[in-house]
Amino acid sequence: MFRFFILLLLLLILPDLYIGWNFTRTQTGILRTLLLALPSLMALGCMLLLICQVRAATLMQLAFILLICVAVPKLVFVLADIIGRGICWHHPNMLPNVHKVATALAVGMAALQVYGTAWGWRKLQVENTTLHIAGLPAAFKGYRIVQISDIHLGTYSGDTSLMQNMVDSINQLNPDLIVFTGDMVNTASSETLPYIKILGKLHAPDGVMSVLGNHDYCMYHPGLSPQEREAEIRRIIRSQRIMGWQVLLNENRHIVRGDDTLYVAGVENVGKPPFPTRGHLDKAMKDIPSHACTLLLSHDPWHWRHGVLKYPNIALTLSGHTHALQMQVGSFSPAAWFMSEWGGLYTKGHQQLFVSTGIGGGVPYRLGAWPKIELITLM
């Protein structure tokens, strides 16, 4: 974490120093230099408050917006200008054109980031995927599952429009089963209250099944005692049950079609530290026959390689958690630098993992990694 904050400091400070030295140093007045540095100073102030455990959602969102919409375009300008200066080393008369190109690239980057913060997080999409499942009972060929993940209700400040759009879109798909793979809230159970009625309207013949994600354990809520945190978790579970959802807490359900049975197991969060591990896969798989085709809901895809693959009858694992870092270009996301499984389908032998990049995030921002409803057809 310390190294992460050092990198952020460099991202904020070095571009300002470069721009100040090369473009504002010789100009009259200190006001322009101060205005140049003001967004960085504000972002540093927000970061300092966050480090001091001031967990206001608006503070985190302001810090993120300043970083993504101001600091990143500045960095693009600096990198483009340095590269341009190197290319034009022997042609100093070309420097004005270099500055123009660098400015255009920075403005373009700023425009993209503003789009991501203002509109991208609302760009809800349905993605269709067909998965060929080893040992799938014949009666479940063509079985349709909608997966949603990481809705992070606290991000929307009571605005119900995205959730209403999501519910309407899912119900129009007429799935056989709806699953939610964790992270309903950011920090507190109270975030669910404006959305209980809306999310309770999700319907499918085999219902809605869900598991908890790392945020649902309220570990990011400062000042809670262990007893208060456990009470918050119980309230989140109760909210989902009021919606009519089946919360799978290291347990399983079975779905019957004629003479065939499909098992759905759900495990509490199992994550790479510092993310919490509360899951017990042995308990979740209890009483499932060793030959039965099983679908597992597990929030963190890290769990797949570090526990799930030991159970050969788990044919398909559905996860979320990554958000693709809420940024994606084509098939690439910077999430790939931090996670080996961050989005889409992964296979090892006959076992498969499908990672949804989710609906929301801790801040209202999506660029390329648009919010997704996953419609999965089993074959």
Side-chain angles (χ1 to χ4, degrees):
M1 184 62 72
F2 177 75
R3 286 182 292 179
F4 175 73
F5 280 110
I6 291 296
L7 286 173
L8 282 180
L9 284 172
L10 294 176
L11 172 65
L12 288 166
I13 293 171
L14 292 182
D16 281 349
L17 290 175
Y18 179 90
I19 296 169
W21 180 262
N22 288 283
F23 296 97
T24 66
R25 177 170 57 97
T26 59
Q27 298 180 14
T28 57
I30 197 172
L31 180 60
R32 183 173 295 188
T33 302
L34 289 175
L35 288 174
L36 171 72
L38 182 60
S40 298
L41 293 173
M42 291 175 63
L44 286 172
C46 291
M47 289 165 54
L48 182 61
L49 290 171
L50 289 169
I51 292 171
C52 295
Q53 300 297 307
V54 179
R55 292 293 185 184
T58 52
L59 188 67
M60 184 173 69
Q61 291 175 9
L62 177 59
F64 180 84
I65 289 170
L66 288 170
L67 285 170
I68 207 76
C69 295
V70 180
V72 170
K74 281 183 184 177
L75 181 63
V76 168
F77 173 85
V78 168
L79 293 175
D81 194 70
I82 291 172
I83 293 169
R85 285 172 184 261
I87 293 172
C88 300
W89 182 265
H90 299 293
H91 303 280
N93 60 313
M94 295 293 292
L95 276 180
N97 291 330
V98 168
H99 301 333
K100 289 177 182 177
V101 170
T103 300
L105 290 172
V107 170
M109 175 58 72
L112 283 173
Q113 302 300 349
V114 168
Y115 179 84
T117 55
W119 296 284
W121 60 275
R122 297 179 179 273
K123 194 177 178 182
L124 187 64
Q125 299 185 345
V126 175
E127 178 132 329
N128 292 277
T129 302
T130 298
L131 298 181
H132 294 270
I133 305 300
L136 183 70
F140 289 92
K141 300 288 184 180
Y143 192 79
R144 289 154 50 90
I145 300 171
V146 158
Q147 180 191 7
I148 52 175
S149 195
D150 300 270
I151 54 181
H152 289 274
L153 295 174
T155 301
Y156 310 122
S157 303
D159 180 354
T160 59
S161 58
L162 180 62
M163 288 299 102
Q164 185 65 65
N165 187 15
M166 182 191 77
V167 168
D168 292 342
S169 298
I170 291 171
N171 288 339
Q172 288 172 12
L173 294 172
N174 295 314
D176 297 296
L177 173 68
I178 300 168
V179 300
F180 173 68
T181 46
D183 276 3
M184 172 160 282
V185 303
N186 288 338
T187 62
S189 62
S190 59
E191 297 169 16
T192 66
L193 298 179
Y195 306 95
I196 289 175
K197 185 176 180 180
I198 291 171
L199 294 173
K201 293 180 180 177
L202 283 171
H203 59 79
D206 294 319
V208 182
M209 299 186 191
S210 71
V211 292
L212 301 180
N214 54 295
H215 280 264
D216 298 324
Y217 297 100
C218 302
M219 59 183 293
Y220 308 108
H221 192 307
L224 291 181
S225 68
Q227 294 79 13
E228 289 170 330
R229 184 168 287 113
E230 289 302 315
E232 282 287 280
I233 297 168
R234 289 194 296 272
R235 291 187 192 104
I236 290 170
I237 294 169
R238 186 165 64 245
S239 293
Q240 295 191 33
R241 287 175 173 161
I242 290 171
M243 297 171 196
W245 296 14
Q246 301 176 62
V247 188
L248 303 182
L249 303 171
N250 302 315
E251 53 192 326
N252 63 75
R253 301 286 186 271
H254 63 277
I255 301 167
V256 177
R257 292 284 188 275
D259 295 329
D260 291 332
T261 302
L262 177 68
Y263 288 84
V264 181
V267 69
E268 291 194 62
N269 196 78
V270 178
K272 181 179 180 181
F275 300 112
T277 292
R278 302 262 302 227
H280 297 281
L281 192 49
D282 283 339
K283 289 175 63 177
M285 296 295 290
K286 186 180 179 182
D287 299 326
I288 297 179
S290 59
H291 63 276
C293 183
T294 304
L295 183 156
L296 176 69
L297 311 181
S298 182
H299 176 68
D300 193 330
W302 182 86
H303 186 205
W304 187 61
R305 289 193 184 276
H306 299 85
V308 175
L309 291 176
K310 298 174 185 176
Y311 293 79
N313 59 334
I314 299 178
L316 174 63
T317 301
L318 298 179
S319 298
H321 181 61
T322 73
H323 310 181
L325 291 185
Q326 294 168 233
M327 187 183 299
Q328 188 173 341
V329 179
S331 60
F332 171 76
S333 165
W337 298 334
F338 306 99
M339 302 166 236
S340 55
E341 292 88 24
W342 59 268
L345 182 64
Y346 303 88
T347 302
K348 188 171 180 64
H350 70 277
Q351 294 176 275
Q352 298 181 75
L353 166 71
F354 187 84
V355 183
S356 168
T357 53
I359 300 288
V363 292
Y365 171 85
R366 289 260 172 173
L367 187 64
W370 313 121
K372 281 184 184 176
I373 296 165
E374 309 284 358
L375 177 60
I376 300 168
T377 303
L378 306 184
M379 296 299 290

